[in-house]
Amino acid sequence: MDYAGLNDSIEKKVLAALKLINNPEIEPDVRQLNQEILFREVGAAVYAKVYNMNAFDYEIEHTTGPGIDDRYYGLAKVAAASVATGTLGLTLLVRNYLDTMASKAQQDATHNARQSGRRTRVTRKMNGETCSWCESLAGTYENPDSEVFKRHRGCDCSIITEGYRSRNGLLQNYTK
């Protein structure tokens, strides 16, 4: 399943929250702090959900991933400053951040599954116009390395992980 597709359901809500926090009447430092909180919480939630779904699929529910790092600080600074600078492309930056958090969770779950002796399969598909770097990574991998999960700004590739339960149609029954 391409778990980054789940970001479609929350992207508009995150952008609405971002717009609400970016009220020009709020002090710039307060705006940035609130953007940091927004991106940290949303990024952690996306990571946790995607990791848990992958762990279920790989049959490693007992594991946890390392979580997200501090990449959201730069995005929070850009988002908070966008009131004054009129930053364009903020929607693309937010979408890229959400997709990167989903990809990181997929990467960590795949790594843990491999260490637990589970079979992992990842397919990277190109969507729309694609750069040569993404073209070079397109394909299906058995027990892949971390390179296949990497993204760049504006990357719209689909990264599809597959474990035991997705092969048998059980992932549709995932609940947690």
Side-chain angles (χ1 to χ4, degrees):
M1 180 175 186
D2 177 17
Y3 295 97
L6 298 173
N7 290 331
D8 294 339
S9 64
I10 65 166
E11 182 180 11
K12 287 181 183 176
K13 294 174 186 173
V14 172
L15 290 170
L18 187 142
K19 186 176 178 182
L20 183 67
I21 293 170
N22 269 354
N23 182 339
E25 295 176 8
I26 298 174
E27 292 294 318
D29 293 344
V30 175
R31 274 197 313 262
Q32 183 173 338
L33 175 64
N34 287 322
Q35 295 293 8
E36 289 172 6
I37 293 168
L38 171 70
F39 290 123
R40 181 179 57 239
E41 294 301 317
V42 169
V46 167
Y47 178 92
K49 182 67 172 180
V50 172
Y51 184 90
N52 286 338
M53 291 180 79
N54 272 274
F56 175 82
D57 186 25
Y58 290 143
E59 297 183 301
I60 56 166
E61 295 98 330
H62 59 281
T63 66
T64 56
I68 65 171
D69 54 23
D70 293 338
R71 286 183 226 187
Y72 55 85
Y73 285 124
L75 180 56
K77 189 173 185 177
V78 170
S82 68
V83 172
T85 62
T87 304
L88 299 175
L90 203 51
T91 301
L92 177 64
L93 292 174
V94 169
R95 180 55 191 232
N96 201 53
Y97 173 73
L98 295 174
D99 288 347
T100 300
M101 293 302 102
S103 294
K104 180 166 175 14
Q106 288 175 296
Q107 176 185 353
D108 292 344
T110 301
H111 176 75
N112 287 344
R114 232 183 12 248
Q115 286 185 332
S116 298
R118 301 290 187 210
R119 175 193 168 278
T120 62
R121 173 187 239 160
V122 176
T123 302
R124 185 177 179 125
K125 288 185 187 176
M126 300 177 294
N127 300 320
E129 291 185 35
T130 307
C131 67
S132 58
W133 182 74
C134 286
E135 272 184 40
S136 71
L137 291 174
T140 300
Y141 301 85
E142 298 287 335
N143 296 322
D145 62 5
S146 62
E147 188 73 13
V148 73
F149 295 99
K150 297 197 174 171
R151 294 182 174 273
H152 57 80
R153 178 186 266 180
C155 181
D156 67 346
C157 289
S158 297
I159 301 173
I160 303 161
T161 54
E162 181 182 306
Y164 176 77
R165 290 186 171 139
S166 57
R167 285 194 324 268
N168 294 310
L170 297 176
L171 196 58
Q172 305 162 27
N173 301 328
Y174 171 82
T175 56
K176 186 161 188 176

